[in-house]
Amino acid sequence: MILVDDRSTDASTRFSELITSTQYIRNDEAFGFIRACNRGGRLARDEYIVMLKLVG
């Protein structure tokens, strides 16, 4: 699992601690959902990609 953090300020930054085998990437600045997806997608190496957005 690849988790791209687009400069979250809430508790979602703890997901990488709770889920094992996660590649956690935190953006230096907030780029927005699409650019965060592109960053994670470039690292993906499997047949399928699922993009999810946490809304809170």
Side-chain angles (χ1 to χ4, degrees):
M1 178 187 300
I2 301 169
L3 175 63
V4 180
D5 181 349
D6 199 33
R7 297 299 296 175
S8 297
T9 57
D10 59 11
S12 65
T13 59
R14 296 197 57 230
F15 275 110
S16 64
E17 299 170 18
L18 303 173
I19 303 171
T20 59
S21 302
T22 300
Q23 184 177 355
Y24 179 77
I25 301 156
R26 182 167 172 87
N27 288 338
D28 293 331
E29 58 184 273
F31 294 119
F33 180 68
I34 298 299
R35 288 178 72 189
C37 287
N38 288 338
R39 187 170 184 199
R42 282 192 297 272
L43 298 171
R45 299 289 176 251
D46 215 329
E47 186 174 354
Y48 300 100
I49 299 173
V50 176
M51 306 286 183
L52 302 174
K53 181 177 181 178
L54 294 176
V55 179

